[in-house]
Amino acid sequence: MKAVTWQGKRDVRVDTVPDPTIQEPTDAVIRITSSGLCGSDLHLYEVLTPFMTPGDILGHEPMGIVEEVGAAVPDLKVGDRVVVPFQIACGNCWMCLNSLPTQCETTQVTGEGMGAALFGYTRLYGAVPGAQAEYLRVPQAQFGPIKVPEGPPDDRFVYLSDVLPTAWQAVEYADVPEGGSVAVLGLGPIGDMACRVAQVRGAGQVLGVDLVGDRLRRARARGVETYDLRSFDSEKELVAAIRDATDGRGPDAVIDAVGTEAHGSAAARMVQNASALLPRKLSGPLAERFSVDRLAALHTAIELVRRGGTLSLVGVYGGMADPLPMLTMFDKQLQIRMGQANVRRWTDRILPYLTDDDPLGVDDFATHRVPLSEAPHAYDMFQHKQDGAVKVLMTP
């Protein structure tokens, strides 16, 4: 089959690789009909290269048709249309039964000290072959795949794999009061969808911050109060402007949808780039112990949120030596929640919004649809925020 493989920093290719097969009774194999390109994939493309191996198959946002089912998968049959969550979880362990499939005790990558295995996402998360491919082996298929109806196009459901539950959890963790205010830093796919989820869940004021004109216009068109970073000379000016718009206190909650690759912090960027250039035997251990993030967005969130407010961190961070302003965080009495989205915890609550009325705008959420063969161009375009790229879907 054809699949998108990682070969090095900013180097992805479409290669011919072996077709996946059933390996365990709890496996299924699906024929992929759509697969998303995620901002998290760009971390592999740029920053997390010490944890990658040439030939790794990328991608974690698939949907498709069941082609084969293992003997211990009672609720799936060949021909079912399914969305596959980005994490791999059993559904039966203590963590899964307590709505934490990201910490599944059956698939935890204990050798790396990490949580549940993920599709297409570094050796830290199991180096499981990913979903930007023609076919996908799905472990723990007795729990993971979400059956969806025939009829509507893939766009209606494919975001259940990651974008929708990640944005939903970001808003849930933000704990926005009914009619309250929330600021979203970063209006890429997750930040954009978090704004939409906050609106339908009753936030009275949704503010979005970015520096890409296309993303700001897209959010503004859906009623978000937008702030262009390029219009401010400093973080203090941005914070002051948003405080002025929120009764002088700042928003009740701030969602950081940027993560490790925030603009700013030239020193942290230099460390990230230097680590990526080292031989893999050196760069992996170095990154595990001493990696740092560019924390511009997180520092802004800490400064921006009102006292007693909540920070919800949904942008991926990977640093192990990040300095944080603990005095400010303690003094402001902030609540902070974070983590990978527990997909199956939220999907039943999201599905009622995926109707023909389309309150979340999923039917036209994608800005680009490309064949799998154009994946290298799609990665480059998305990385450089060219041609209005916010969300890219690939079709094998």
Side-chain angles (χ1 to χ4, degrees), residues 324-389:
L324 291 174
M326 294 302 297
L327 173 62
T328 301
M329 295 158 66
F330 182 84
D331 179 64
K332 292 187 73 172
Q333 200 168 331
L334 302 184
Q335 300 180 75
I336 303 175
R337 297 197 71 181
M338 66 188 82
Q340 304 277 8
N342 297 290
V343 174
R344 292 305 304 267
R345 179 176 181 176
W346 311 116
T347 49
D348 287 347
R349 293 176 61 179
I350 296 169
L351 277 165
Y353 292 91
L354 305 184
T355 63
D356 288 342
D357 292 338
D358 195 19
L360 295 172
V362 294
D363 286 348
D364 59 0
F365 189 71
T367 55
H368 294 74
R369 295 170 181 81
V370 302
L372 196 68
S373 59
E374 294 183 14
H377 167 69
Y379 269 82
D380 184 69
M381 173 182 66
F382 191 31
Q383 174 72 0
H384 291 97
K385 302 177 178 65
Q386 296 171 340
D387 195 28

Side-chain angles (χ1 to χ4, degrees), residues 48-375:
L48 299 180
T49 58
F51 305 112
M52 299 294 290
T53 301
D56 284 348
I57 299 174
L58 301 174
H60 57 269
E61 296 187 351
M63 72 174 293
I65 307 299
V66 176
E67 293 282 305
E68 193 174 355
V69 180
V73 184
D75 296 327
L76 285 185
K77 65 181 185 301
V78 172
D80 281 344
R81 189 186 192 197
V82 296
V83 179
V84 180
F86 69 88
Q87 73 230 197
I88 302 167
C90 71
N92 296 313
C93 69
W94 189 93
M95 289 291 181
C96 287
L97 293 174
N98 282 275
S99 300
L100 288 168
T102 55
Q103 312 302 325
C104 174
E105 292 170 321
T106 300
T107 72
Q108 277 180 15
V109 187
T110 54
E112 301 287 350
M114 306 299 281
L118 310 179
F119 287 104
Y121 215 77
T122 84
R123 67 171 172 80
L124 295 179
Y125 289 101
V128 180
Q132 290 168 6
E134 293 180 302
Y135 294 90
L136 177 70
R137 171 183 167 250
V138 182
Q140 304 298 328
Q142 81 286 350
F143 176 68
I146 304 157
K147 288 193 282 189
V148 297
E150 298 293 337
D154 282 8
D155 294 52
R156 180 73 58 86
F157 303 113
V158 67
Y159 306 116
L160 286 169
S161 60
D162 184 350
V163 173
L164 280 166
T166 297
W168 190 278
Q169 180 171 295
V171 175
E172 181 79 15
Y173 282 7
D175 195 26
V176 185
E178 181 70 25
S181 56
V182 57
V184 179
L185 306 184
L187 297 174
I190 302 301
D192 185 337
M193 186 58 74
C195 290
R196 302 179 187 202
V197 170
Q199 289 172 323
V200 302
R201 292 187 59 181
Q205 190 176 20
V206 180
L207 310 100
V209 180
D210 207 296
L211 46 65
V212 180
D214 291 327
R215 297 181 176 190
L216 290 160
R217 285 189 290 273
R218 178 177 159 107
R220 195 179 307 123
R222 294 190 66 90
V224 177
E225 299 175 38
T226 58
Y227 292 80
D228 187 341
L229 274 173
R230 298 168 299 181
S231 300
F232 299 92
D233 291 331
S234 67
E235 175 199 64
K236 288 184 178 181
E237 287 188 8
L238 170 68
V239 169
I242 295 178
R243 280 183 180 160
D244 286 346
T246 51
D247 298 323
R249 289 187 294 271
D252 298 307
V254 175
I255 295 171
D256 173 3
V258 179
T260 185
E261 292 190 89
H263 289 263
S265 186
R269 179 180 178 85
M270 181 179 68
V271 171
Q272 290 174 346
N273 289 341
S275 176
L277 294 173
L278 290 171
R280 291 181 63 249
K281 287 185 179 180
L282 297 176
S283 62
L286 179 67
E288 287 178 26
R289 292 190 176 189
F290 303 112
S291 56
V292 295
D293 296 296
R294 281 173 270 171
L295 296 174
L298 179 54
H299 283 286
T300 298
I302 292 167
E303 183 66 21
L304 180 59
V305 70
R306 68 161 170 82
R307 290 178 177 273
T310 303
L311 301 182
S312 175
L313 310 186
V314 65
V316 174
Y317 284 98
M320 291 292 285
D322 290 330
L324 291 174
M326 294 302 297
L327 173 62
T328 301
M329 295 158 66
F330 182 84
D331 179 64
K332 292 187 73 172
Q333 200 168 331
L334 302 184
Q335 300 180 75
I336 303 175
R337 297 197 71 181
M338 66 188 82
Q340 304 277 8
N342 297 290
V343 174
R344 292 305 304 267
R345 179 176 181 176
W346 311 116
T347 49
D348 287 347
R349 293 176 61 179
I350 296 169
L351 277 165
Y353 292 91
L354 305 184
T355 63
D356 288 342
D357 292 338
D358 195 19
L360 295 172
V362 294
D363 286 348
D364 59 0
F365 189 71
T367 55
H368 294 74
R369 295 170 181 81
V370 302
L372 196 68
S373 59
E374 294 183 14

